[in-house]
Amino acid sequence: MRERRNGAEKLSEKAAGRLYTWIVEEGRYAPGSKLPNENELSEAMEVSRATLREAISYLVAQNVLEIRRGKGTFVAETLPAAGMDLTALSDLRSRVRAKDLFEMRLIFEPATVALACQRASDAELEQIRRKALRVKEAAAEGGDWPLADQEFHWALIRASHNEYMRRLYPIINSAVNEIMQISQNRQLMQDTALRDNELILEFLLARDEAGARHAMSIHMKHLINMLRD
């Protein structure tokens, strides 16, 4: 079963790499444009719709695509520089355990949210607040709350205004997908994310660096402890 799961992961990552090339390097879809619908795009890429959805989720986390509710999937207005090696991320993912990646996030994200307290504009804080609210709404609706949670964390990264953190996040973020695949208790993960996000947001909106850093550290430790259960 694990071999089949790993195979599916590799296929979705290859699809993400191909779609990334079409958008960023070949310019098939212009910044701000809408992607073809799921059926058309999966046929063009010769992959299943499930594989395409995973690939799109991966590129959303990298800020290459964005999903607009009720409208579809769009190319981001501002794209990363060409040349990102997605195959390297696939190799990393196959070699590194989810716990190791969360330990990296424990080092990385508390410092990031502290920088966001210093540097985020009021508009960025409002966007982060809306992202946190969307996580709650997705959970209540039985929707894709993990993707909404990734977008919440990505908004925090952007608000740090640190280019290297922006580049690191897509790699470290692969831990989210890893833990969702092996977790035996998605409901506990959901409840923990909602509770922890609320505390992180409270300190962030108050621009309390020490509090936000501590809240993010607690959140990461909660997730690491779930892996040990």
Side-chain angles (χ1 to χ4, degrees):
M1 178 66 73
R2 183 62 184 171
E3 289 179 357
R4 290 179 61 189
R5 184 180 295 159
N6 285 342
E9 290 170 5
K10 287 183 91 172
L11 187 58
S12 64
E13 287 165 357
K14 286 179 181 177
R18 194 182 329 146
L19 188 52
Y20 176 92
T21 298
W22 287 3
I23 294 168
V24 177
E25 298 180 3
E26 298 181 6
R28 294 194 191 187
Y29 305 109
S33 66
K34 183 180 179 181
L35 290 186
N37 66 44
E38 193 176 83
N39 286 335
E40 292 176 3
L41 192 54
S42 63
E43 286 181 12
M45 298 187 69
E46 298 181 337
V47 297
S48 69
R49 287 183 295 172
T51 295
L52 176 63
R53 282 193 290 268
E54 290 180 17
I56 287 174
S57 295
Y58 193 67
L59 293 180
V60 166
Q62 292 185 344
N63 212 34
V64 174
L65 298 175
E66 59 182 47
I67 297 173
R68 301 177 190 172
R69 294 181 63 194
K71 295 182 179 180
T73 303
F74 290 77
V75 178
E77 294 287 350
T78 303
L79 292 171
M84 183 180 294
D85 184 4
L86 291 179
T87 60
L89 305 189
S90 177
D91 291 340
L92 175 70
R93 193 170 183 179
S94 67
R95 290 185 284 106
V96 180
R97 296 171 301 164
K99 183 177 72 68
D100 295 333
L101 287 166
F102 272 107
E103 286 173 352
M104 276 297 296
R105 292 183 72 185
L106 177 59
I107 297 168
F108 175 74
E109 293 201 46
T112 300
V113 76
L115 286 176
C117 287
Q118 297 175 23
R119 300 174 178 176
S121 67
D122 290 344
E124 285 173 324
L125 290 182
E126 174 58 22
Q127 182 183 52
I128 292 167
R129 187 193 66 79
R130 291 199 302 268
K131 295 289 186 183
L133 179 60
R134 179 58 198 142
V135 181
K136 283 185 174 181
E137 291 173 346
E141 295 165 359
D144 192 352
W145 70 265
L147 176 57
D149 189 60
Q150 289 178 45
E151 292 177 352
F152 168 69
H153 284 270
W154 179 233
L156 290 172
I157 300 295
R158 290 199 304 270
S160 75
H161 294 278
N162 183 293
E163 183 60 27
Y164 285 97
M165 289 182 174
R166 287 169 60 98
R167 290 174 182 268
L168 272 173
Y169 182 66
I171 300 173
I172 296 174
N173 188 55
S174 63
V176 175
N177 294 324
E178 289 282 351
I179 185 59
M180 290 306 298
Q181 289 160 4
I182 66 177
S183 174
Q184 300 298 311
N185 196 338
R186 288 171 61 96
Q187 185 63 48
L188 178 59
M189 285 190 61
Q190 175 184 293
D191 294 345
T192 299
L194 293 177
R195 183 180 64 249
D196 290 353
N197 285 358
E198 190 170 328
L199 187 60
I200 292 165
L201 184 64
E202 179 181 343
F203 285 116
L204 177 70
L205 295 179
R207 296 189 184 272
D208 182 338
E209 294 176 40
R213 185 190 291 268
H214 185 58
M216 185 64 79
S217 294
I218 289 173
H219 177 51
M220 293 303 154
K221 288 175 183 176
H222 282 160
L223 298 176
I224 289 170
N225 286 338
M226 286 181 198
L227 284 168
R228 293 173 178 154
D229 293 341

